Amino acid sequence: MFFSFCRFSVFALGSRAYPKFCQFGQDLDEHLRKLGAVQIHEVGKGDELCGQENSFKEWAFGTFKAVCDIFSIEVADNLLATLTASDIKWQPSIYRVRPVANTSLNITQALSETHNQNVVNCRLISRQNLQSNDSNRETILVKLEIAPNQEMKYSPGDHVGIFAFNSTEDVEIVMNHVLDRPQDFVDLKVQRQDSGFWKDQKRTPFCNLRTSLTYFLDIHSPVSQSLMEALATMATSEEDKKVLTCLSKDVNAYQKWRLCCGLSFVELLQEFSSLQFSAAFLLTQLPVLLQRFYSISSSQLHVPNQIHITVAVLKYTTLSPKCPRKKFGFCSNWLNEIPIGSEVPCFIRKENSFHLPENSELPVIMVGPGTGIAPFRSFWQQRKEEKSSGSTKSGKMVMYFGCRRLDHDHIYQEELTIMQFQGILDKVHVALSRQPEIPKTYVQNLMEATSSEIYQLLVVEGGHIYICGDAGMAADVTKMLMEIIKKENKNKNPDAVMEILNNENRIHRDIFGALALKLSSEESTSVACIKCS
Ligand SMILES: Cc1cc2nc3c(=O)[nH]c(=O)nc-3n(C[C@H](O)[C@H](O)[C@H](O)COP(=O)(O)OP(=O)(O)OC[C@H]3O[C@@H](n4cnc5c(N)ncnc54)[C@H](O)[C@@H]3O)c2cc1C
């Protein structure tokens, strides 16, 4: 067999919040075996939500041992342990901070360098809640202005990456636990000892600790197990040490804690008040603060100097019935709270696989419940401008939108009506999942009810379908598409039709929502973690 010379082991990365956890890695393993390659160690799976580093260590240990066995290499156990130890693990003796001459840091430029992106400051010019006052949720239309001297080009379907900042209050909470708290005017660099020499570390820019904590370090995501392990050694109270040690060593206890409390670094410091650490610890061990992506909801043909986004303001309560906690998404709430006129650092990410077809005469079917509608606003704005300039003949545009209730969260209702009236959108189908006195309906149900129309536009007329929203919905819609092809296509093999659509890149997906974790009532009563029970 072609691959019989190949020995392999796969480590797959994923998140249990998504369906088909680590499926790609699993499939890769299966395919390699089918091609004749020899699996030397079973697939390892790293869950972003829990214990990823430990899973990797276990897999790396097993794989390395298997390799040694196969090649008859004798390795001492202590060497194996060293090989699989994490080199980012906190070792106080190998890190230090040193003052540097004032760097007069330009934050935007530093964000560009840290993230290897062309970050530009846009200005927040307007924010509007698109849901009604009767709804207990918020979805906001955020309008950002591009400064005249800035070059920022995007196409409908592209994403914008946004950097939010940590608040002064939260940064102060962290600073209060720093043993060697440096003065705010002292810029710092981090050094790591390597073969007897101190070498500069450039993970984040050289600047004062407050600036690092405000713009470059993540203090809001749930604390990882490896960070917890390091923190356990820094608690000065025995009780704090005991709980943190248990959480850092026991995967099950940690998993329960993630569901029950899932504390961020800032929240953890409030619960475990005896924690004390050095500036070097923060600068080397806290994760780097990352951008959040948003599908652009505007067309530059319509608003040349603006970027619009549609943001669901994330608020949820943790699952513990005993001590539920209110949680607020970091970036979406920041965008909802900063004053109008604030600067918002951002960059454009091209999403070539989600652009409108080059031939604008081709039909376009858009499926986007909730905030999944976000990129489609850029599509209809683009088609409207193209149409009014008379430059092209536009193909049909059909929208499948879904929300809970017409009077709560039918976002962009007025705009959709106008677009229909102006002949930009040919049809708008709205699925309502919680409308009183109406059976629950989802976008895939409406697709089923209009299957002949979908088949005509997509298969017969060579159109494109765009699906945007959470992974579960996208899977259901894809399944329904297959059903529609099966039903409407009397002669051909539906798999062959699907293959043509895929090969011609006529099915486009923009997936961004994880599944909310759900527990059975039995599970939820046992979810109280070591800290709460
Ligand atoms: C390519 C792409 C395009 C996107 N486009 C859009 C868009 O157009 N509009 C939009 O609103 N968002 C969009 N998103 C999502 C967006 O990037 C952010 O993830 C979202 O705004 C939340 O970020 P946050 O900082 O507010 O929340 P965070 O502080 O990052 O918190 C999010 C985390 O909270 C946890 N969580 C969320 N809900 C629950 C729950 N019910 N129970 C337990 N834990 C929970 C999950 O671990 C989740 O990862 C997009 C994402 C990607 C990758």
Side-chain angles (χ1 to χ4, degrees):
M1 282 220 227
F2 187 62
F3 270 87
S4 55
F5 64 91
C6 172
R7 290 166 190 169
F8 76 96
S9 177
V10 174
F11 185 76
L13 294 160
S15 162
R16 281 190 202 277
Y18 285 84
K20 300 190 178 175
F21 170 59
C22 285
Q23 190 62 42
F24 177 74
Q26 194 74 55
D27 289 350
L28 184 65
D29 174 85
E30 220 175 288
H31 280 296
L32 284 169
R33 278 188 285 138
K34 273 191 196 150
L35 289 168
V38 180
Q39 186 209 55
I40 56 166
H41 189 65
E42 63 190 26
V43 186
K45 291 183 182 174
D47 180 5
E48 185 201 36
L49 294 180
C50 181
Q52 194 165 78
E53 210 188 323
N54 280 342
S55 310
F56 179 75
K57 278 190 214 161
E58 275 169 29
W59 171 84
F61 186 88
T63 304
F64 193 79
K65 217 163 170 301
V67 171
C68 293
D69 289 347
I70 287 168
F71 293 102
S72 307
I73 301 168
E74 272 187 37
V75 184
D77 282 352
N78 60 348
L79 179 60
L80 266 179
T82 331
L83 285 169
T84 54
S86 163
D87 69 343
I88 53 157
K89 202 172 164 147
W90 172 239
Q91 293 168 267
S93 59
I94 64 163
Y95 291 107
R96 69 179 189 186
V97 291
R98 283 288 173 267
V100 288
N102 187 298
T103 56
S104 309
L105 194 73
N106 174 324
I107 300 295
T108 320
Q109 201 181 324
L111 283 169
S112 296
E113 283 162 17
T114 305
H115 299 276
N116 201 18
Q117 297 289 349
N118 183 21
V119 180
V120 163
N121 267 338
C122 288
R123 205 167 59 87
L124 175 69
I125 51 168
S126 122
R127 176 176 51 221
Q128 178 197 350
N129 181 13
L130 299 169
Q131 299 210 22
S132 83
N133 292 337
D134 295 330
S135 169
N136 56 7
R137 298 174 304 143
E138 282 175 283
T139 304
I140 48 174
L141 168 62
V142 172
K143 294 186 180 174
L144 303 172
E145 185 183 56
I146 306 167
N149 60 342
Q150 296 291 359
E151 179 74 1
M152 240 182 152
K153 291 276 170 256
Y154 65 84
S155 306
D158 287 344
H159 296 137
V160 59
I162 297 217
F163 291 101
F165 309 151
N166 292 313
S167 71
T168 315
E169 296 75 33
D170 288 343
V171 169
E172 194 52 38
I173 290 172
V174 179
M175 298 278 280
N176 284 337
H177 289 256
V178 180
L179 283 166
D180 54 346
R181 180 175 173 153
Q183 303 270 36
D184 276 353
F185 56 81
V186 181
D187 284 350
L188 300 170
K189 68 176 176 183
V190 178
Q191 294 186 315
R192 186 179 198 272
Q193 203 175 39
D194 192 359
S195 316
F197 295 98
W198 287 101
K199 292 187 180 159
D200 291 351
Q201 292 272 291
K202 291 260 174 70
R203 201 168 73 109
T204 52
F206 298 165
C207 56
N208 65 55
L209 185 61
R210 185 178 294 282
T211 304
S212 282
L213 287 168
T214 306
Y215 302 103
F216 300 102
L217 295 171
D218 183 349
I219 55 176
H220 279 287
S221 298
V223 174
S224 70
Q225 222 178 349
S226 52
L227 186 58
M228 194 93 83
E229 190 180 346
L231 286 169
T233 64
M234 292 166 199
T236 47
S237 117
E238 279 312 308
E239 180 55 24
D240 285 358
K241 198 184 277 289
K242 200 173 111 198
V243 176
L244 288 168
T245 306
C246 168
L247 290 173
S248 67
K249 299 265 182 261
D250 180 340
V251 174
N252 287 335
Y254 175 79
Q255 203 146 11
K256 274 191 176 183
W257 173 85
R258 272 293 294 254
L259 292 171
C260 176
C261 296
L263 301 183
S264 68
F265 190 63
V266 175
E267 291 166 330
L268 193 92
L269 296 181
Q270 289 162 307
E271 294 272 322
F272 297 83
S273 55
S274 80
L275 281 168
Q276 289 188 319
F277 32 72
S278 63
F281 171 78
L282 291 178
L283 292 170
T284 57
Q285 302 304 303
L286 283 178
V288 171
L289 180 53
L290 296 178
Q291 75 287 319
R292 304 298 194 266
F293 285 107
Y294 294 94
S295 307
I296 296 178
S297 296
S298 53
S299 155
Q300 271 187 311
L301 284 185
H302 187 60
V303 280
N305 303 324
Q306 292 181 18
I307 302 171
H308 297 181
I309 51 176
T310 308
V311 180
V313 181
L314 179 62
K315 291 180 183 154
Y316 63 93
T317 308
T318 56
L319 293 168
S320 166
K322 207 167 169 190
C323 49
R325 278 167 192 275
K326 277 210 168 321
K327 293 281 200 176
F328 301 89
F330 172 59
C331 185
S332 55
N333 283 277
W334 181 78
L335 284 167
N336 198 24
E337 283 160 16
I338 52 171
I340 301 298
S342 301
E343 289 193 329
V344 177
C346 52
F347 64 92
I348 300 295
R349 185 173 73 172
K350 288 269 152 214
E351 199 52 59
N352 294 333
S353 62
F354 207 79
H355 285 171
L356 279 163
E358 272 177 32
N359 177 356
S360 53
E361 290 183 23
L362 292 176
V364 163
I365 301 168
M366 302 169 288
V367 186
T371 36
I373 198 172
F376 302 132
R377 186 169 180 264
S378 72
F379 283 19
W380 72 63
Q381 284 191 355
Q382 178 87 0
R383 282 276 171 102
K384 176 178 151 60
E385 292 304 321
E386 285 173 355
K387 198 167 178 171
S388 57
S389 71
S391 58
T392 48
K393 209 172 139 229
S394 291
K396 279 198 167 172
M397 281 190 117
V398 176
M399 173 86 219
Y400 289 83
F401 174 68
C403 61
R404 291 182 179 176
R405 294 171 57 140
L406 282 175
D407 53 343
H408 279 190
D409 56 347
H410 186 350
I411 60 177
Y412 296 125
Q413 184 173 18
E414 204 180 312
E415 214 168 306
L416 286 166
T417 311
I418 295 171
M419 288 302 122
Q420 255 188 296
F421 182 73
Q422 294 182 348
I424 309 299
L425 295 176
D426 293 89
K427 268 191 195 152
V428 178
H429 302 277
V430 181
L432 301 169
S433 62
R434 296 195 194 172
Q435 186 76 23
E437 290 157 31
I438 287 186
K440 274 183 189 297
T441 313
Y442 297 101
V443 278
Q444 60 271 26
N445 304 128
L446 295 186
M447 287 173 68
E448 188 177 21
T450 53
S451 62
S452 59
E453 182 187 4
I454 290 186
Y455 187 80
Q456 174 67 26
L457 295 176
L458 186 62
V459 182
V460 180
E461 297 181 25
H464 288 235
I465 184 164
Y466 295 80
I467 305 161
C468 180
D470 76 60
M473 177 279 303
D476 290 342
V477 166
T478 307
K479 215 166 121 199
M480 179 52 69
L481 195 57
M482 193 68 188
E483 294 296 317
I484 289 172
I485 292 170
K486 245 187 233 167
K487 181 179 152 205
E488 299 293 331
N489 181 312
K490 307 282 185 297
N491 309 317
K492 288 186 214 146
N493 170 4
D495 291 329
V497 176
M498 206 64 175
E499 202 178 319
I500 293 171
L501 293 175
N502 281 321
N503 290 345
E504 293 180 356
N505 295 322
R506 282 158 53 201
I507 305 180
H508 310 260
R509 293 182 186 84
D510 186 9
I511 308 299
F512 55 72
L515 303 175
L517 295 165
K518 287 199 181 94
L519 299 177
S520 66
S521 53
E522 196 184 312
E523 279 172 320
S524 65
T525 47
S526 68
V527 87
C529 70
I530 175 173
K531 182 80 182 150
C532 303
S533 53

